[in-house]
Amino acid sequence: MIRSRIVFVLLLVCALAALGSVSAQQNDASRTGWISDESCGTQHTKPGHADCVQKCWRGGASVGHPEWKPQRAVFVADDDQAIWIVENPDTVRNYPAAHVVLEAKFDSANRTIHVEKITPVAP
């Protein structure tokens, strides 16, 4: 009887720990930052780099360097300069090197975000 209670308590603790880690991995948040590309990342945290970001998204074939592979769209957070890969890049395609506020689901385990709403920050 005692042995079955110990097993039950251990299983309950493991289940709660697993549930807690899943909820910590994905959370909805609103954060301010910059839209960039995976290659340049934090180097595009100021205006004027839209052409570079778009070239990196397309890859180097369009500028005579087919060896440059297309880069993924990323979000660089203002507060900690963390780089988050955008899971749905079509939502940010019109905002290269732009300072924005994102409402998104942040997956801290994979360092990815799913953008739900994007709003440009007024200069």
Side-chain angles (χ1 to χ4, degrees), residues 9-33:
V9 168
L10 286 174
L11 288 174
L12 183 63
V13 168
C14 290
L16 290 174
L19 190 61
S21 68
V22 168
S23 66
Q25 286 179 4
Q26 288 195 355
N27 57 349
D28 293 342
S30 178
R31 294 180 77 177
T32 304

Side-chain angles (χ1 to χ4, degrees), residues 60-75:
S62 64
V63 291
H65 292 281
E67 69 276 8
W68 297 350
K69 302 298 178 204
Q71 300 296 308
R72 296 183 285 188
V74 299
F75 172 73

Side-chain angles (χ1 to χ4, degrees), residues 24-29 31 38 72-76 82-89 102-116:
Q25 286 179 4
Q26 288 195 355
N27 57 349
D28 293 342
R31 294 180 77 177
E38 192 174 21
R72 296 183 285 188
V74 299
F75 172 73
V76 181
I83 297 175
W84 299 83
I85 296 169
V86 179
E87 290 179 336
N88 52 340
L102 291 185
E103 290 180 27
K105 291 187 186 300
F106 287 80
D107 184 344
S108 57
N110 295 319
R111 301 300 287 177
T112 60
I113 60 170
H114 184 85
V115 178
E116 295 173 350

Side-chain angles (χ1 to χ4, degrees), residues 26-82:
Q26 288 195 355
N27 57 349
D28 293 342
S30 178
R31 294 180 77 177
T32 304
W34 294 83
I35 302 299
S36 186
D37 62 89
E38 192 174 21
S39 178
C40 296
T42 59
Q43 295 174 12
H44 294 310
T45 54
K46 55 186 167 226
H49 294 279
D51 289 344
C52 183
V53 171
Q54 288 175 329
K55 286 176 188 174
C56 288
W57 285 344
R58 287 191 309 262
S62 64
V63 291
H65 292 281
E67 69 276 8
W68 297 350
K69 302 298 178 204
Q71 300 296 308
R72 296 183 285 188
V74 299
F75 172 73
V76 181
D78 277 349
D79 54 359
D80 59 0
Q81 295 294 293

